[in-house]
């Protein structure tokens, strides 16, 4: 009788242990799946933003070495997606987006619309922040990141300024000189305010000044007057 009770207790213990083990395995697997889904969601968001940024940087004729570093980071994210979900719709979609981004190229009228220009500003600004993140992650040096950030900041300014010049040229072609000069002055104001050495800004400023003066030549004024100072600014 004692042996029967002991056997019964052992059986209960074994069944309980098996149940605990099965529950632990199921719970662990569910947690792993949840963690995997969360990681894939994060990777999707990051990769999509980075691929959009790469396309914009190529369209804006960004320095190749900056595009290359960001492209390497995008590739590492896609490789992780391939490991977690190799045959998934997500991996196929991101691969197609990367192919599209890699085929983007610079064009003089690519940022002609307000929508395209806004997109360019958003993703160049995103790229500025991304290079800092790459430095924090040890993927590039801090010095390199600071240089890239400055280059991207200037790119963001010139993209908008060049778009104003392009729009001004179109209005001038249509004999709307007042609207044209307004766009040229917007371009000049952006360049003047940019926190960039004057030697870097000078070629573009000279070009814009020439366009403004062709429409509205400056009246001769004595040097050092307030009006002369304002003319130099605008």
């Amino acid at each position: 009788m004692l042996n029967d009770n002991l056997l019964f207790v052992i059986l209960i213990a074994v069944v309980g242990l098996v149940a605990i083990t099965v529950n632990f395995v199921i719970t662990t697997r569910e947690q792993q799946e949840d963690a995997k889904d969360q990681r894939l969601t994060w990777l999707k968001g990051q990769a999509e933003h980075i691929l959009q940024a790469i396309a914009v940087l190529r369209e804006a004729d960004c320095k190749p070495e900056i595009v290359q570093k960001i492209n390497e980071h995008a590739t590492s994210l896609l490789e992780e997606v391939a490991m977690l979900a190799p045959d998934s719709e997500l991996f196929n979609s991101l691969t197609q987006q990367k192919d599209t981004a890699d085929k983007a190229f610079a064009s003089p009228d690519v940022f002609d619309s307000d929508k395209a220009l806004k997109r360019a500003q958003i993703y160049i600004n995103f790229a500025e922040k991304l290079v800092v993140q790459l430095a924090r992650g040890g993927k590039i040096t801090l010095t390199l990141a600071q240089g890239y950030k400055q280059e991207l900041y200037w790119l963001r300014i010139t993209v908008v300024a060049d778009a104003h010049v392009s729009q001004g040229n179109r209005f001038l072609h249509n004999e709307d000189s007042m609207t044209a000069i307004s766009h040229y002055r917007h371009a000049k104001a952006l360049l003047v305010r940019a926190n960039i050495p004057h030697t870097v800004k000078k070629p573009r400023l000279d070009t814009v000044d020439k366009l403004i003066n062709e429409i509205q030549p400056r009246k001769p004024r004595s040097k050092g007057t307030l009006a002369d100072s304002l003319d130099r600014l605008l």
Side-chain angles (χ1 to χ4, degrees), residues 11 40 45 49 54 56 65 76 85 88 92 94 97 110-111 117 121 135 147 150 225:
L11 286 173
L40 285 171
H49 283 308
I54 289 171
V56 166
E65 57 265 34
S76 69
S88 65
N92 293 332
L94 291 176
Q97 289 178 51
V110 70
F111 302 125
L117 190 58
Q121 289 177 284
Q150 184 79 341
T225 65

Side-chain angles (χ1 to χ4, degrees), residues 44-60 62 66-67 70 97 101 111 114-131 133 148-149 151-153 155-157 159-160:
K44 177 179 182 294
Q46 281 291 299
E48 286 178 345
H49 283 308
I50 293 169
L51 293 173
Q52 287 280 357
I54 289 171
V56 166
L57 293 179
R58 291 187 189 281
E59 291 165 354
C62 180
I66 299 177
V67 179
I70 294 176
Q97 289 178 51
F111 302 125
D114 289 342
K115 183 178 179 180
L117 190 58
K118 186 65 177 177
R119 170 175 169 266
Q121 289 177 284
I122 289 170
Y123 285 108
I124 295 174
N125 185 56
F126 172 80
E128 287 180 56
K129 296 175 181 177
L130 180 60
V131 294
Q133 291 177 16
Y148 287 172
K149 190 173 185 296
E151 289 284 351
L152 290 165
Y153 164 75
L155 182 67
R156 181 158 49 88
I157 297 294
V159 161
V160 180

Side-chain angles (χ1 to χ4, degrees), residues 3-232:
N3 289 338
D4 290 342
N5 288 339
L6 183 59
L7 180 61
F8 184 67
V9 170
I10 291 172
L11 286 173
I12 292 175
V14 169
V15 170
L17 182 60
V18 170
I20 292 171
T21 302
V22 170
N23 183 64
F24 174 77
V25 170
I26 293 172
T27 301
T28 302
R29 188 170 296 171
E30 288 176 348
Q31 290 174 344
Q32 289 174 340
E33 285 298 318
D34 286 344
K36 175 183 170 182
D37 290 342
Q38 289 176 15
R39 182 63 179 172
L40 285 171
T41 299
W42 183 86
L43 287 168
K44 177 179 182 294
Q46 281 291 299
E48 286 178 345
H49 283 308
I50 293 169
L51 293 173
Q52 287 280 357
I54 289 171
V56 166
L57 293 179
R58 291 187 189 281
E59 291 165 354
D61 200 21
C62 180
K63 285 192 173 181
E65 57 265 34
I66 299 177
V67 179
Q68 180 59 32
K69 288 295 182 183
I70 294 176
N71 198 35
E72 287 173 3
H73 182 53
T75 299
S76 69
L77 295 183
L78 264 65
E79 287 173 350
E80 187 175 350
V81 173
M83 289 175 58
L84 295 173
D87 299 319
S88 65
E89 183 179 340
L90 172 60
F91 179 66
N92 293 332
S93 173
L94 291 176
T95 300
Q96 290 175 2
Q97 289 178 51
K98 188 172 188 311
D99 288 341
T100 301
D102 288 342
K103 291 174 183 175
F105 59 92
S107 172
D109 56 354
V110 70
F111 302 125
D112 271 359
S113 72
D114 289 342
K115 183 178 179 180
L117 190 58
K118 186 65 177 177
R119 170 175 169 266
Q121 289 177 284
I122 289 170
Y123 285 108
I124 295 174
N125 185 56
F126 172 80
E128 287 180 56
K129 296 175 181 177
L130 180 60
V131 294
V132 175
Q133 291 177 16
L134 294 179
R136 288 173 181 165
K139 295 190 175 181
I140 59 175
T141 66
L142 183 58
T143 302
L144 202 57
Q146 289 172 340
Y148 287 172
K149 190 173 185 296
Q150 184 79 341
E151 289 284 351
L152 290 165
Y153 164 75
W154 178 231
L155 182 67
R156 181 158 49 88
I157 297 294
T158 57
V159 161
V160 180
D162 290 351
H164 275 296
V165 170
S166 179
Q167 289 180 30
N169 291 342
R170 282 202 304 275
F171 281 108
L172 188 61
H173 179 73
N174 293 327
E175 300 183 351
D176 186 351
S177 59
M178 294 307 295
T179 305
I181 202 169
S182 175
H183 280 289
Y184 295 149
R185 282 177 169 167
H186 271 98
K188 181 172 182 178
L190 285 167
L191 295 171
V192 167
R193 288 197 301 264
N195 188 22
I196 293 291
H198 183 73
T199 51
V200 176
K201 298 190 285 187
K202 190 176 185 305
R204 274 189 165 83
L205 281 170
D206 288 347
T207 298
V208 176
D209 275 336
K210 183 179 178 182
L211 291 168
I212 292 171
N213 290 333
E214 285 175 353
I215 299 174
Q216 196 173 72
R218 290 181 186 174
K219 296 176 182 179
R221 294 186 178 95
S222 61
K223 291 184 179 180
T225 65
L226 176 60
D228 194 43
S229 298
L230 291 174
D231 267 358
R232 283 197 298 270

